[in-house]
Amino acid sequence: MRSHRWVTAVVWVVLSVTVASCGAGRSANRTADGKTELSIATFNEFGYEELFAEYEAAHPDVKIVQRKTGQGAPHHQNLFTKLGAGAGLADVEAVEEGYLSQVMAKAGQFHDLLDIGPKDVTPDRWLKWKADAATTRDGRLIGYGTDIGPLAMCYRKDLFAEAGLPSDPDEVKRLFASWDTYFAAGDRFVAAVSGVAWFDSAAQIFNAMHNQHDVGYFDTSDTLVVESNQDIRNDWAAVTNAVARGQSAKLAAFSAEWNTGFKLGRFATKTCPSWMLGVIEAQAGPENAGKWAVTDAFPDGGGNWGGSYLTVPKQSRNPDKAAALAAWLTAPEQQIKAFQARGTFPSQVDALENRTLLEQVNTYFDNVKAGALFAAQVQKVKAAQYKGPADGLIQETAFGPALQSVEQGKNPAEAWNTAVKEAKKAAE
């Protein structure tokens, strides 16, 4: 699974660790000078560091303590372990969309933010599908939405030109009109340019395709439908056939080899949720500035890949103040600042119409107005795919590894059977 923002080495940065006891009505944590201590646990890059200082300046009675993990998987493992233990969670806990269903299944251990949060913060502050995903069947809002990951397509202009393909962002749109046209263009590319693949990773392509469907690994009754979902079977066939035709660079996403692949130009296209622009710039380096471009087109329309929420566990000793902090961090003004700091794209309706966002220029990608481009892509996302229990785990431990095995020569039919077996195991 994604993840969806910048991925670095797994590093715990713990400025202060306060073990919370279970139960309601506890006294708030206090610093030596009498301030209320609010802890917040995040992962990867949320763009909050400067915002914390700003909040503390406006609230001199509050001291924010950040617990920051380099990657999402260990963060969520810690979250679920401490939920089970009944102690040890931060006042505010970030949750990535791939793990949200597991949190929703334990909604009773989290505060309803409509109850304890600022009364002027209502679900219509966010895109409807963003808020709906964190709302229980009985109407409780468990998380305030942070970022989203609207999808566009990134590509190497110089490699397209070398292959005789159009390279202008407007001209390449027809190549990305559908997955059929995308893979057909891939055949043309690999036939024309030796030693360079069309895309980076089969799993990355499959995940983007999978996220576009109304139904994914689970239906809304939390039944695993991997074997019966024909859309997933069709995606598998399309991607593994493209691998067989030499279109994949066979690089595991976020590996050292994948990072180097950007720098050395090992592949020509990249599925690009908004947060991926920062990843490409960091990994491709200044020597490749101007070679990468992004276009406001994506096969079969678009979709969303990534995004998180801020929750307040009932273990929090400071639930009201924790909710106030989470509400402030996810307000339109702060979402714009986080986007400027780390490229995390806003999920707030007002933020998506903000002039600062719409005029944001990305100099690395040929001075494209990236804010306006991705704001337009957001409008193509009408609903978020329902993520059932263990959805992120299935992508991470079943389909991702199975597709990598196909890239290493395993028979696709055998790899499919392995993926289904591992999916069932993850869903138990």
Side-chain angles (χ1 to χ4, degrees), residues 308-378:
S308 298
Y309 296 81
L310 297 183
T311 68
V312 178
K314 288 188 176 177
Q315 293 179 24
S316 171
R317 296 190 179 190
N318 315 290
D320 294 342
K321 289 190 176 182
L325 171 61
W328 185 85
L329 287 170
T330 57
E333 299 80 5
Q334 280 63 256
Q335 288 205 342
I336 294 293
K337 293 174 184 177
F339 171 71
Q340 292 174 315
R342 290 292 184 271
T344 52
F345 205 77
S347 61
Q348 293 268 359
V349 175
D350 287 348
L352 293 171
E353 301 171 353
N354 186 283
R355 186 175 182 84
T356 299
L357 177 77
L358 298 179
E359 294 296 324
Q360 181 80 15
V361 171
N362 190 306
T363 57
Y364 192 86
F365 286 81
D366 205 18
N367 293 311
V368 66
K369 287 188 175 180
L373 185 152
F374 283 104
Q377 293 302 97
V378 169

Side-chain angles (χ1 to χ4, degrees), residues 179-251:
W179 289 110
D180 287 341
T181 62
Y182 174 76
F183 290 125
D187 287 334
R188 292 172 58 191
F189 180 86
V190 297
V193 181
S194 62
V196 180
W198 181 235
F199 56 82
D200 56 333
S201 158
Q204 292 277 285
I205 298 295
F206 180 86
N207 194 45
M209 297 173 77
H210 162 260
N211 275 334
Q212 290 181 311
H213 302 309
D214 292 336
V215 179
Y217 298 133
F218 293 87
D219 64 20
T220 55
S221 64
D222 289 338
T223 300
L224 184 69
V225 293
V226 167
E227 289 183 283
S228 61
N229 189 334
Q230 190 59 45
D231 287 332
I232 294 179
R233 295 294 297 261
N234 293 342
D235 291 347
W236 178 273
V239 173
T240 56
N241 285 338
V243 171
R245 300 197 303 273
Q247 293 190 24
S248 176
K250 306 177 182 179
L251 300 172

